[in-house]
Amino acid sequence: MMAGAAARRVAGSRRAPPSPLQRAAVTGLVFGILGLYLAIVGILAMIHGRAIIVGVLTLGQATLVAIGLGTGAMIVRGDGEHGAWSWSTLLRSLFAGAIAGGVLALLVVAMDALDLRAIFIALSPALFEMLTFDLGLAGGVLVLIGGSAALAALGALLTLGPRAFRRHVLIGCIAVIFFGVFQELIQIMMQYGDIIGAVRETIYTWEGLTPEGAILIFVIATAISLLAARLRGGERSDAETPPAQRRNARIAKAAVAVLLLVLFPLLAGSYIGQVMMLVGLYILMGMGLNLEVGLAGLLDLGFVAFFAVGAYTTALLTADSPHALAAFTAIPSLSYWEAMPIAVLVSVIVGVLFGIPVLGVRGDYLAVATMGLGEIVRVIVQSDAAAPLLAGAQGILQIPKPWLGNIELSDPVDLFYLTLACAAVAAYCAWRLENSRLGRAWMAVRDDEDVAQALGINLVKVKLLAYGLGAAFAGLAGSIFAVMLTSIYPSSFQLLVSINVLALIIVGGMAACPA
Amino acid sequence: MALLEIDDIHVFYDKIEALKGVSIAVDEKQIVTLVGANGAGKTTTLRAISGILHPRAGEIRLGGESLADLPPHEIAGMGVVQVPEGRRIFARLTVDENLQMGAFSRNDRRAIAEDKERMLALFPRLKERLKQVAGTLSGGEQQMVATARALMARPRILLMDEPSMGLSPVMVEHVFETIRAINQQGVTILLVEQNALMALGIADFGYVMESGRIVLTGRGQDLLEDENVQRAYLG
Ligand SMILES: Nc1ncnc2c1ncn2[C@@H]1O[C@H](COP(=O)(O)OP(=O)(O)OP(=O)(O)O)[C@@H](O)[C@H]1O
Ligand SMILES: [Mg+2]
């Protein structure tokens, strides 16, 4: 009887579950607001300039399509295990999709009626044209709402469809988007050789994929995916293979990946070397942020500040410019190898200082607070007050490249190896941390702060350590960034970088270090 | 002198006075239980002992030493350990890691390993689930993890908040048997319960709480036979 009372109490303390229709409305709203957000911060307009299939689909439009499909998929997911096909599902998807489209339609109407551009610079005429599909206001609104509803229904259907089928279609679509988005890279790689060149010309123009190319890629990718599934079907499934064998397979895969990473830039040349290097820097920062967000559960949108601190410290200590410390103090101009550890150390100190004011803040507020702090760092750097020291918006120029013995590491490929080496060391450290006492303490704090505390964990200490060590990774990345560009400007350290890194680790799976 | 003395504490949530002068004493090696209806202030009392809340007046002493103004992790370091309400295990850590977290303030590796073996002997069900993520355990198993985790700290006094909440009658039996067994191994226990019948049945001493005040105290058996208690809590 008592147990029953307790159970009732628990149930009573929650709100009554929302009705399916309410949930559909909320889902639609969430996706609509996601689209709204992308539009307002300018991402939508920006990626609209990027064609995936020339004259047919841009990345921006693909994003809108994804929002529509996602709404429907989410409706089905929300039904849980026993989600099955029914007219109600279809209706709810249509409804949710219409709401998602409606939110964007509202934006369009508002843009037509008011001069929103004065407040949100990204709400440009170009965005208006994109969102109305050049059909004018009324047509655009109709297409937005109707199209979104239809896409949501399609999304729901796809999610309910046989799993195998859905997977192959998805892989086909991803392949098309991949080839579309990374077209420059892929085209450069495909420049050599007659046959490859000919293939390139059929699937690409210089702006993106041709429609034929897109279809071709879709068909090939789907076919490969089907074939792979067929082949795999013959073998034992993953769960049944003995662990040792699975581990060996995993090590072999990792080894191949590492080998590819090491050799690839060498073959591909300096442009790709540079791109890969940027990727490497993001990975370094990702690992640092993962310590904070993934392990310790401290959402941090000001992470770029540590990156900036690492970069500026390196610049001030090594640059051959009037702003370098060596120019007006007795401190000698340091070599990169001397400056790097100092940059990391300074980042750690800033990380800890950064952590102190936000210690008591939790959850959503933490995101806002850290975002504010991150922006403050950039504003300070840009300000006139700090200009004599930090060069303001002009930035610091003439940062020398590092020397290894008497070889100057000037080629992006060389620097890529530097990044790779640092990333390897950092990955090892991150891995050790994750499996340490401290790592466990972080995870405990993430799962339940109060209980962790009541078990003897000093919250202040472990949180500050998370900020400090996370900052160390970003500082290292910043330091490499400085020598990569040989000049740094405050505008390189936008909020967007923090968000990108965060997106990286969310996609990579929180707390999964290998990602 | 009692091991734990709570001396006329007043605890507030902002302006709401949740504890209006509560005094409790727990002697070494005893089981003392605190029973009362929903919202009486039982959890609040335990949170005050652990240092998560600070009394505005009154004092809490462990072995004669005041705990006032100590942060929670230091109070835990002194051997005051909670099995919190609603279990609250670390859901994304494995059972093993949860147990290790219990021993966080300890450094004696060998003894920690021995204690872990003892916990697995006490809760054999956890043995085959050591590598399982704790959030996927059943409610009863989670209660075992929460209890074992607390015991891994080698507490001088164990504070348990409604360990039987939401469990089946069989599991409830098992929980109370375990509490008695733990106590017989020499651990002092302050047990908060809704299940007054069972709690008073195993307790040396009991306190009955109503809206922030202690309204009755006495030996466990005596309270069980008390008319008022019977009417209010035992139906
Ligand atoms: N965080 C809080 N903020 C404000 N008031 C609170 C808070 N936590 C508890 N209270 C109030 O304090 C009083 C005592 O609550 P407490 O949780 O100690 O009760 P309890 O005896 O443990 O009840 P239960 O058996 O339901 O767990 C209640 O009136 C409750 O509403
Ligand atoms: Mg309670």
Side-chain angles (χ1 to χ4, degrees), chain B residues 177-190:
Chain B
E177 268 162 36
T178 313
I179 293 172
R180 208 200 292 258
I182 294 169
N183 176 249
Q184 270 158 10
Q185 289 174 12
V187 181
T188 311
I189 295 174
L190 175 56

Side-chain angles (χ1 to χ4, degrees), chain A residues 2-3 6-7 9-10 437 440-441 443-448 450-459 462, chain B residues 38 47 72-73 76 81 84-85 88 90-93 97 100-101 104-106 149 162 165-167 194-195 233:
Chain A
M2 288 293 180
R9 180 155 44 95
V10 170
R437 226 169 99 84
R440 275 204 304 272
M443 291 190 274
V445 168
R446 172 195 68 188
D447 278 0
D448 196 325
D450 290 340
V451 176
Q453 199 171 209
L455 285 175
I457 293 174
N458 185 339
L459 273 190
V462 300
Chain B
N38 292 143
R47 286 163 65 90
H73 66 267
V81 182
E85 185 172 22
R88 293 174 74 170
F90 300 121
R92 286 177 281 182
L93 302 191
E97 287 166 334
Q100 296 295 342
M101 285 316 302
F104 191 80
S105 331
R106 295 170 55 187
R149 181 181 66 187
E162 299 202 32
M165 177 167 134
L167 300 182
Q194 291 259 335
N195 191 337
Y233 300 103

Side-chain angles (χ1 to χ4, degrees), chain A residues 258-283:
Chain A
V258 168
L259 207 67
L260 272 179
L261 262 180
V262 172
L263 294 179
F264 184 63
L266 211 56
L267 304 175
S270 71
Y271 175 68
I272 295 194
Q274 183 144 6
V275 172
M276 302 258 317
M277 173 167 170
L278 267 179
V279 172
L281 288 183
Y282 267 113
I283 289 174

Side-chain angles (χ1 to χ4, degrees), chain A residues 90-361:
Chain A
L90 183 68
L91 282 178
R92 275 182 295 136
S93 310
L94 280 170
F95 176 58
I99 288 189
V103 172
L104 286 174
L106 275 181
L107 173 69
V108 171
V109 172
M111 279 168 73
D112 188 58
L114 310 165
D115 184 21
L116 288 179
R117 194 141 196 229
I119 311 171
F120 301 110
I121 196 159
L123 300 179
S124 59
L127 181 72
F128 184 82
E129 272 166 31
M130 170 197 174
L131 287 177
T132 52
F133 308 95
D134 294 331
L135 296 173
L137 185 62
V141 166
L142 276 180
V143 173
L144 265 180
I145 297 180
S148 170
L151 281 169
L154 185 66
L157 275 178
L158 277 177
T159 315
L160 281 171
R163 223 181 108 217
F165 170 73
R166 188 178 18 155
R167 218 177 95 213
H168 303 311
V169 172
L170 201 67
I171 285 177
C173 292
I174 289 174
V176 172
I177 290 176
F178 180 84
F179 275 85
V181 171
F182 294 103
Q183 53 124 341
E184 280 113 343
L185 286 183
I186 298 169
Q187 292 212 51
I188 289 171
M189 280 188 274
M190 290 175 73
Q191 259 180 357
Y192 311 101
D194 291 340
I195 307 172
I196 298 181
V199 172
R200 196 203 85 221
E201 273 171 26
T202 28
I203 64 171
Y204 278 123
T205 72
W206 279 111
E207 271 140 41
L209 289 169
T210 58
E212 303 85 23
I215 294 169
L216 196 70
I217 290 172
F218 180 82
V219 170
I220 293 178
T222 312
I224 291 177
S225 162
L226 270 171
L227 215 66
R230 186 67 54 80
L231 284 178
R232 221 174 311 126
E235 294 168 16
R236 280 175 301 178
S237 73
D238 195 36
E240 284 165 26
T241 36
Q245 199 179 325
R246 232 189 306 163
R247 182 147 37 92
N248 284 343
R250 211 179 311 153
I251 290 175
K253 267 187 216 160
V256 170
V258 168
L259 207 67
L260 272 179
L261 262 180
V262 172
L263 294 179
F264 184 63
L266 211 56
L267 304 175
S270 71
Y271 175 68
I272 295 194
Q274 183 144 6
V275 172
M276 302 258 317
M277 173 167 170
L278 267 179
V279 172
L281 288 183
Y282 267 113
I283 289 174
L284 254 182
M285 287 207 281
M287 283 192 288
L289 191 55
N290 187 41
L291 290 186
E292 290 181 16
V293 182
L295 290 187
L298 305 165
L299 188 55
D300 185 353
L301 291 179
F303 198 64
V304 67
F306 310 144
F307 182 68
V309 167
Y312 267 91
T313 310
T314 308
L316 288 175
L317 288 173
T318 66
D320 181 16
S321 99
H323 292 288
L325 286 179
F328 55 93
T329 62
I331 305 169
S333 191
L334 299 180
S335 82
Y336 178 68
W337 307 113
E338 291 157 341
M340 183 160 92
I342 299 179
V344 172
L345 195 69
V346 174
S347 303
V348 170
I349 294 169
V350 173
V352 171
L353 290 179
F354 192 96
I356 292 171
V358 297
L359 267 179
V361 188

Side-chain angles (χ1 to χ4, degrees), chain A residues 379-432:
Chain A
V379 170
I380 289 178
V381 172
Q382 251 172 340
S383 71
D384 290 336
L389 187 61
L390 300 175
Q394 291 166 12
I396 299 178
L397 314 177
Q398 304 209 319
I399 303 162
K401 298 273 185 190
W403 290 75
L404 193 64
N406 40 20
I407 313 164
E408 188 182 23
L409 301 180
S410 56
D411 193 306
V413 176
D414 299 336
L415 286 172
F416 167 72
Y417 286 123
L418 174 66
T419 316
L420 197 66
C422 288
V425 173
Y428 178 73
C429 294
W431 177 71
R432 285 301 299 265

